[in-house]
Amino acid sequence: MTKQGRYKQSGEQSKKHVHVSENGHTGNKSGCPISKKCGGCQYIDKSYAEQLKIKTDQVKKLLAPYGSVDEIIGMKEPYHYRNKVNAAFQHKRNGEILAGVYEEGTHRVLSVDDCKIENRLAQEIVETIRGLLRSFKITVYNEDSGYGLLRHVMIRTGHATGEVMVVLVTASPIFPSKKNFAKALVKAHPQITTIVQNINDKDTSMVLGERNQVLYGRGFIEDKLCGKTFKISPTSFYQVNPVQTELLYNKAMEYANLTGEEVVVDAYCGTGTIGIVASDHAKQVIGVELNKAAAKDAITNVKRNECKNVRIYDGDAGKFMVGMAEAGTDVDVVFLDPPRSGSTPEFFDSVCKLAPKRIVYISCGPESLARDLKYLKSKRMYQVEKIALVDLFPWTEHCETVVLLSQRKADDYVEVELELDELDVTSAESKATYAEIKDYVLKEHGLKVSNLYISQVKRKCGIEVGENYNLPKSEDSRQPQCPEEKEKAIKDALEHFGMI
Ligand code: SAH
């Protein structure tokens, strides 16, 4: 996962922030004064149309052997989509406090005026906090010396609900006049619905520590995706671009084509979003997720949405599928949405044993997707039907791909050893098969003849045989020629069957 992608909050590194200004003070092409130092937006110098073309071309190139790619689903307003904003703070020598992002690979904070992709209200709240620090005598943490209280601020917003969570990450649990600080913040921004103090007293570059203390409100926010409600706590994973996430999930649902009768697997389910969205249209949904905290959130979300037909398991998706295959579970549709590194042969081997009708593969890593499709193709059981692209991360190089695979008909993939002559179905040949000719010759003449001899005689008699039928594999290869006695017997058979 990347800074734009789906890393988990608790594992998120504090260096990975993305702030971009639109003001263009520096005269660089992007109009973002810190784009080079921040490094979050790789395509900041390109127009949005150019970005979409580059992403499409990259995926088309990688997936060309598997199928054609539909037109990319771009974002109508590709700005301020990030529902999660992190800020670091630093004292300047003159006593002024900076709020912004770390310059890549350093502990220097870059001040951020405005950012092209982050939620605007969140940026305003960061600015308000910066202003309040001095009056509340709150010191900011120094990563090098380890002194100071406020390490980071994380703000998460619910796009559909309008709820706002502010997480104040402190180096110590002792936070003088914290309730008053929270009050002052809410007064300045009444949209804030909850404030949480997160204590991170470790020498780490991770943003969040393990302990949370609620200072105001419920300690979490909720948001809606595709009509379902999801709980977002400080550490929960949640897609950063909810507008495009809905389009991504809608595409996945369209591909799954559920009728209400299906048993569905949501592998790598995170907080259960895909499975919960699918649950209204399926008989049963089985979600599996490795990260225990995410699986717990998924269970909460299942209850929150009163989904009686969804069960969540925590564990490795590959091993879980092995178990399902051993148990002979009936599965109709498999969604998989693995991390950037993709899935495993173990997973796909078991999917092939479970033999669902459709597989819907959602990927944020086109390279690993191409690798996995190659593996699946080698099993000759599924074929790619459709490929869609959804841009969840404008201004960056990242993109989501959805692939629909359907099970091939048994005849298409069961490896049947056909002798070439059996494929030789010309009009004359259709009158008697090679087997019938052989039977006749054996019965009437007491001779065993091969397919090769029959074809040689047929050719001599001017009967068309399949184009490649029994032709020598190379110019100088020699084939045995049909002896005279057998030739006579075969001719008799051809006459008998009315072929000459
Ligand atoms: N489908 C979810 C989350 C996708 S992110 C959504 O759209 O929000 C990928 C998820 O795969 C993460 O939650 C990660 O914790 C999980 N994961 C990573 N490796 C895994 C494994 N081996 N087995 C199961 N889940 C895994």
Side-chain angles (χ1 to χ4, degrees):
M1 296 299 103
T2 68
K3 53 199 88 173
Q4 302 302 323
R6 318 164 188 178
Y7 43 15
K8 295 177 287 293
Q9 294 288 343
S10 49
E12 187 174 356
Q13 302 224 330
S14 60
K15 306 286 180 290
K16 309 222 170 188
H17 308 285
V18 183
H19 285 66
V20 180
S21 166
E22 287 170 324
N23 298 339
H25 309 302
T26 59
N28 72 5
K29 199 176 158 200
S30 70
C32 172
I34 61 164
S35 66
K36 294 279 178 295
K37 289 178 175 171
C38 161
C41 293
Q42 299 83 11
Y43 292 165
I44 196 77
D45 290 335
K46 304 186 190 318
S47 72
Y48 191 50
E50 272 177 287
Q51 297 171 35
L52 295 178
K53 184 168 181 327
I54 296 168
K55 293 181 189 191
T56 307
D57 289 349
Q58 188 213 5
V59 174
K60 271 189 176 165
K61 202 168 152 199
L62 281 163
L63 302 190
Y66 311 105
S68 57
V69 178
D70 284 354
E71 195 185 339
I72 188 165
I73 303 171
M75 195 170 182
K76 284 208 180 86
E77 290 285 326
Y79 305 102
H80 305 289
Y81 60 81
R82 263 189 86 95
N83 55 10
K84 184 182 73 180
V85 168
N86 292 326
F89 297 84
Q90 192 171 45
H91 271 295
K92 271 174 61 173
R93 283 215 183 89
N94 65 6
E96 195 190 325
I97 297 171
L98 295 176
V101 297
Y102 285 121
E103 187 175 338
E104 262 192 331
T106 75
H107 287 176
R108 265 196 306 279
V109 169
L110 297 167
S111 183
V112 175
D113 295 339
D114 188 14
C115 170
K116 210 166 195 148
I117 66 172
E118 287 180 341
N119 179 281
R120 278 211 160 105
L121 174 61
Q123 292 181 57
E124 286 168 21
I125 295 171
V126 169
E127 193 46 35
T128 302
I129 292 172
R130 192 179 75 91
L132 285 175
L133 291 177
R134 186 165 308 203
S135 47
F136 277 85
K137 297 194 172 58
I138 295 168
T139 51
V140 303
Y141 183 76
N142 181 316
E143 289 235 351
D144 297 319
S145 67
Y147 288 111
L149 181 66
L150 186 69
R151 288 184 82 145
H152 293 280
V153 167
M154 177 197 281
I155 294 164
R156 306 189 78 173
T157 52
H159 178 78
T161 59
E163 295 181 19
V164 178
M165 169 165 58
V166 176
V167 183
L168 304 164
V169 185
T170 60
S172 150
I174 301 153
F175 184 169
S177 51
K178 51 190 166 195
K179 294 274 177 186
N180 285 338
F181 185 83
K183 240 189 217 166
L185 201 50
V186 175
K187 194 167 174 223
H189 298 282
Q191 304 96 321
I192 296 173
T193 49
T194 189
I195 302 177
V196 178
Q197 179 191 359
N198 173 277
I199 298 131
N200 185 356
D201 50 11
K202 302 238 164 65
D203 181 17
T204 168
S205 60
M206 299 300 170
V207 173
L208 295 179
E210 280 157 17
R211 278 175 292 161
N212 289 313
Q213 204 192 344
V214 179
L215 304 183
Y216 173 77
R218 299 194 286 180
F220 63 89
I221 57 167
E222 289 185 332
D223 197 18
K224 283 185 192 298
L225 280 177
C226 304
K228 300 289 178 191
T229 305
F230 298 98
K231 179 182 171 184
I232 308 168
S233 58
T235 48
S236 309
F237 168 80
Y238 191 68
Q239 293 281 8
V240 295
N241 184 341
V243 171
Q244 293 298 96
T245 300
E246 281 204 332
L247 301 182
L248 177 76
Y249 289 175
N250 285 345
K251 187 51 81 177
M253 295 307 141
E254 175 196 321
Y255 281 4
N257 195 19
L258 301 173
T259 63
E261 294 302 313
E262 294 84 359
V263 177
V264 170
V265 170
D266 177 12
Y268 307 90
C269 72
T271 52
T273 42
I274 293 174
I276 290 169
V277 170
S279 65
D280 283 348
H281 315 284
K283 188 165 89 185
Q284 199 196 338
V285 177
I286 301 161
V288 56
E289 162 62 42
L290 186 65
N291 180 279
K292 281 199 168 50
K296 218 173 137 206
D297 284 343
I299 293 167
T300 306
N301 286 330
V302 167
K303 286 187 193 147
R304 174 68 181 77
N305 290 284
E306 296 174 8
C307 299
K308 302 265 181 296
N309 60 343
V310 183
R311 298 212 64 176
I312 304 292
Y313 296 86
D314 92 63
D316 171 73
K319 296 206 165 41
F320 184 79
M321 294 301 265
V322 170
M324 295 252 291
E326 278 168 7
T329 317
D330 277 333
V331 174
D332 302 293
V333 175
V334 169
F335 289 99
L336 71 150
D337 185 9
R340 177 162 287 252
S341 53
S343 191
T344 58
E346 184 185 48
F347 182 91
F348 292 115
D349 289 348
S350 298
V351 167
C352 288
K353 283 186 190 140
L354 288 163
K357 289 183 212 76
R358 287 179 291 286
I359 303 170
V360 180
Y361 190 154
I362 300 153
S363 160
C364 58
E367 279 92 5
S368 61
L369 172 65
R371 180 203 64 208
D372 289 348
L373 289 180
K374 186 174 179 189
Y375 183 75
L376 207 45
K377 193 177 178 184
S378 75
K379 309 216 38 120
R380 305 178 64 177
M381 202 170 151
Y382 287 91
Q383 64 198 17
V384 171
E385 296 283 349
K386 289 174 188 171
I387 305 173
L389 290 181
V390 186
D391 188 22
L392 261 70
F393 314 112
W395 309 98
T396 82
E397 62 193 357
H398 305 290
C399 188
E400 295 274 333
T401 310
V402 194
V403 180
L404 168 65
L405 295 122
S406 68
Q407 197 184 128
R408 296 164 70 177
K409 282 195 219 88
D411 297 355
D412 293 343
Y413 69 83
V414 170
E415 283 176 63
V416 186
E417 295 232 352
L418 281 179
E419 286 196 30
L420 268 177
D421 51 76
E422 289 176 44
L423 299 172
D424 172 23
V425 279
T426 58
S427 55
E429 148 78 52
S430 63
K431 292 188 173 166
T433 64
Y434 281 71
E436 286 168 333
I437 295 168
K438 281 180 188 173
D439 281 348
Y440 180 87
V441 172
L442 185 63
K443 229 174 16 207
E444 298 300 318
H445 301 269
L447 295 171
K448 278 193 165 182
V449 290
S450 67
N451 291 339
L452 176 66
Y453 290 166
I454 297 171
S455 74
Q456 285 171 352
V457 176
K458 280 172 82 176
R459 226 180 236 116
K460 271 192 185 172
C461 297
I463 300 172
E464 281 278 311
V465 290
E467 220 179 292
N468 297 314
Y469 176 73
N470 277 340
L471 287 180
K473 287 196 179 62
S474 66
E475 288 300 313
D476 57 2
S477 70
R478 288 170 174 263
Q479 289 183 323
Q481 293 302 305
C482 182
E484 218 180 320
E485 187 193 12
K486 290 192 175 179
E487 192 179 318
K488 268 195 190 151
I490 292 168
K491 277 185 179 159
D492 177 41
L494 296 178
E495 268 182 64
H496 171 78
F497 289 113
M499 294 166 76
I500 52 173

